[in-house]
């Protein structure tokens, strides 16, 4: 049976100073690494909102063993060297565990480093399969893995029917490649013909040659995995070259941000995106979590990255409350025994299909409809019906 974390309201963010993490009257301090500056700062800002909301709830409910939970928050500046330096500082500050970060290309070396140091790491925002497959006994991922992004979108495609061909476009980073690998593999398993797979390097701004190639191939599904600025450019240029698949499928990341809708405008309409959380999911407290995240973001619509960060810190506090020792082995054992229900979804850390300490949480699919995201799959939790097939640009 899952224990339920019951949210309580509080409005004070407690940021800890660099003090040893011991069970003492001044509380327990844990480390957070996220992208406050650089390329991934938008996602880092979402994560910080999630951590704030979780911290408020944790401390309002009694903290850790009756003492306040505190955070040391480090900026990885959207690059792995800064993340590794941050982790070293946190370990020198005697934090009992670390939570981080957003980008898979940063979390992969970070997870390897913390495993060597025998410090528990909760992965809050990175999805690349290889972080937990094969993984490490010291690395725990509460959020979904890359394979689940592809599975959710292609399961939706199967349910909609009438599609047998697919073309894949993705960036060359760790996350984009991992999701694209999964899409390629799952599509073939499901009987799709993969007509093309195109990869691009960071900095590309003209996607029209690739999109024109796709137009000539006439795929039923165009599957895209891109970050914030690229997702906008791809859809604007897809409209420009008159690429007309039955389904545009975005592998989350940039396609799941409200800024994608704002930046792409009417070109964002009908695009599907995988996501791990929406306010309409059936998890207890999801609606209240959404309200708190909006408040933390000063009215901005939160992405699923905020909910995933929230979940990671709730999981950390739960594990710390179930052990009387802050020794790494004790915390690792407590994390492994996690069986928790949160407003962002259920959490257990399981070993399956080659994954180690992976939460087997499912993803959902949302679609841009009339300038807003609408949850459309699975149907039992959908807030609306999928609009399909995607109309041709000339008839919109």
């Amino acid at each position: 049976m899952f224990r339920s974390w019951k949210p309580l309201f509080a409005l004070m963010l407690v940021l800890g100073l660099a003090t040893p993490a011991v069970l003492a009257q001044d509380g327990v301090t844990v480390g957070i690494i996220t992208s406050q500056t650089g390329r991934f700062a938008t996602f880092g800002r979402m994560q910080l909102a999630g951590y704030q909301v979780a911290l408020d709830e944790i401390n309002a409910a009694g903290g850790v063993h009756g003492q306040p939970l505190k955070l040391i928050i480090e900026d990885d500046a959207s690059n792995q060297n800064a993340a590794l330096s941050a982790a070293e500082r946190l370990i020198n500050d005697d934090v009992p565990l670390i939570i981080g970060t957003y980008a898979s290309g940063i979390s992969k070396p970070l997870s390897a480093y913390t495993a060597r140091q025998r410090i528990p790491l909760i992965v809050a925002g990175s999805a690349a399969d290889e972080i937990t497959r094969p993984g490490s006994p010291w690395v725990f991922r509460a959020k979904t893995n890359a394979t689940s992004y592809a599975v959710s979108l292609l399961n939706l495609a199967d349910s909609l029917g009438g599609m047998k061909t697919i073309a894949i476009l993705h960036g060359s980073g760790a996350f984009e490649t991992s999701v694209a690998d999964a899409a390629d593999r799952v599509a073939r398993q499901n009987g799709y013909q993969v007509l093309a797979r195109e990869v691009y390097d960071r900095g590309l701004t003209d996607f029209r040659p690739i999109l024109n190639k796709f137009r000539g191939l006439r795929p039923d599904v165009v599957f895209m995995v891109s970050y914030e600025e690229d997702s906008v450019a791809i859809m604007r240029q897809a409209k420009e070259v008159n690429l007309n698949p039955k389904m545009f499928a975005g592998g989350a990341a940039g396609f799941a941000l409200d800024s994608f809708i704002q930046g792409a405008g009417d070109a964002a309409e009908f695009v599907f995106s995988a996501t791990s959380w929406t306010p309409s999911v059936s998890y207890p407290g999801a609606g209240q979590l959404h309200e708190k995240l909006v408040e933390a973001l000063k009215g901005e619509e939160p992405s699923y990255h905020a909910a995933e960060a929230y979940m990671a810190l709730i999981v950390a506090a739960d594990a710390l409350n179930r052990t009387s020792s802050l020794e790494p082995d004790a915390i690792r054992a407590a994390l492994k025994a996690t069986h928790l229900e949160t407003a962002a979804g259920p959490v257990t850390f399981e070993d399956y299909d080659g994954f180690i300490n992976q939460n087997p949480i499912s993803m959902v699919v949302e679609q841009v409809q009339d300038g807003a995201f609408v949850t459309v799959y699975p149907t039992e939790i959908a807030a609306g019906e999928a609009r399909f097939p995607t109309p041709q640009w000339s008839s919109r």
Side-chain angles (χ1 to χ4, degrees):
M1 178 182 295
F2 285 101
R3 287 188 313 282
S4 178
W5 182 273
K6 297 182 179 180
L8 296 172
F9 289 89
L11 205 58
M12 181 176 64
L13 176 64
V14 183
L15 298 180
L17 299 176
T19 56
V22 294
L23 274 177
Q25 291 185 352
D26 59 349
V28 175
T29 302
V30 300
I32 301 289
I33 302 175
T34 190
S35 300
Q36 298 181 68
T37 58
R39 182 187 182 195
F40 304 122
T42 295
F43 302 100
R45 184 164 47 80
M46 291 291 168
Q47 288 191 328
L48 287 174
Y51 292 134
Q52 176 181 335
V53 170
L55 191 64
D56 289 345
E57 292 184 5
I58 292 162
N59 285 331
V64 174
H65 294 292
Q67 300 301 325
L69 179 65
K70 303 178 183 180
L71 307 179
I72 304 174
I73 299 178
E74 292 274 359
D75 180 15
D76 64 27
S78 300
N79 74 79
Q80 66 180 49
N81 291 333
L84 294 174
S85 296
E88 183 178 11
R89 288 192 296 272
L90 291 171
I91 292 170
N92 289 338
D93 287 335
D94 293 323
V95 298
L97 64 84
I98 295 173
I99 304 174
T101 178
Y102 169 68
S104 293
I106 300 173
S107 288
K108 286 172 65 178
L110 176 64
S111 63
Y113 174 73
T114 56
R116 289 195 302 271
Q117 301 300 315
R118 300 173 67 84
I119 295 295
L121 173 71
I122 301 177
V123 177
S126 304
D129 282 349
E130 50 268 37
I131 293 172
T132 51
R133 188 172 66 184
S136 161
W138 294 95
V139 178
F140 297 81
R141 180 159 53 192
K143 69 158 281 143
T144 50
N145 55 49
T147 293
S148 62
Y149 288 65
V151 168
S152 61
L153 286 163
L154 290 171
N155 281 349
L156 170 62
D158 288 344
S159 72
L160 294 172
M163 294 180 283
K164 287 299 179 185
T165 60
I166 185 171
I168 301 171
L169 171 62
H170 65 96
S172 58
F175 164 74
E176 304 103 297
T177 300
S178 191
V179 175
D181 286 346
D184 194 319
R185 182 179 69 254
V186 173
R188 294 178 193 275
Q189 291 171 352
N190 290 7
Y192 288 81
Q193 180 184 2
V194 180
L195 299 178
R197 177 173 172 178
E198 295 287 341
V199 59
Y200 66 90
D201 291 326
R202 179 185 175 187
L204 182 67
T205 59
D206 187 359
F207 298 93
R208 284 167 293 194
I210 298 173
L211 298 172
N212 273 316
K213 175 183 176 180
F214 284 5
R215 184 183 63 179
L217 294 172
R218 300 172 62 87
D220 295 320
V221 181
V222 171
F223 193 105
M224 308 161 291
V225 196
S226 302
Y227 283 118
E228 187 175 3
E229 64 276 10
D230 299 339
S231 62
V232 170
I234 287 169
M235 287 311 302
R236 282 184 171 275
Q237 292 171 28
K239 177 182 179 180
E240 183 180 338
V241 305
N242 199 34
L243 174 61
N244 287 296
K246 295 179 181 177
M247 178 181 184
F248 283 106
F255 293 97
L257 292 174
D258 194 56
S259 58
F260 165 66
I261 298 177
Q262 297 169 10
D266 61 359
E269 285 293 316
F270 301 97
V271 174
F272 294 95
S273 177
T275 181
S276 63
W277 182 86
T278 70
S280 61
V281 294
S282 56
Y283 306 137
Q288 293 93 327
L289 174 58
H290 176 256
E291 292 174 1
K292 294 180 186 181
L293 290 172
V294 170
E295 182 179 356
L297 288 163
K298 296 179 172 52
E300 183 179 356
E301 186 65 23
S303 69
Y304 69 91
H305 310 92
E308 290 175 342
Y310 166 90
M311 178 165 59
L313 189 55
I314 292 292
V315 167
D318 173 72
L320 290 169
N321 269 312
R322 286 186 287 104
T323 178
S324 59
S325 169
L326 293 184
E327 290 299 314
D329 282 315
I331 295 173
R332 183 182 65 169
L335 284 168
K336 188 66 175 179
T338 296
H339 212 65
L340 187 66
E341 184 79 32
T342 80
V347 184
T348 60
F349 294 113
E350 301 182 12
D351 302 340
Y352 66 95
D353 294 341
F355 290 98
I356 296 176
N357 295 335
Q358 173 65 56
N359 186 21
I361 189 172
S362 299
M363 294 200 82
V364 301
V365 179
E366 56 190 1
Q367 185 183 33
V368 180
Q369 297 182 0
D370 301 322
F373 288 116
V374 177
T375 304
V376 296
Y377 187 82
T379 54
E380 58 267 23
I381 65 167
E385 294 185 359
R387 295 179 180 177
F388 176 83
T390 301
Q392 296 203 356
W393 297 105
S394 60
S395 63
R396 297 194 191 188

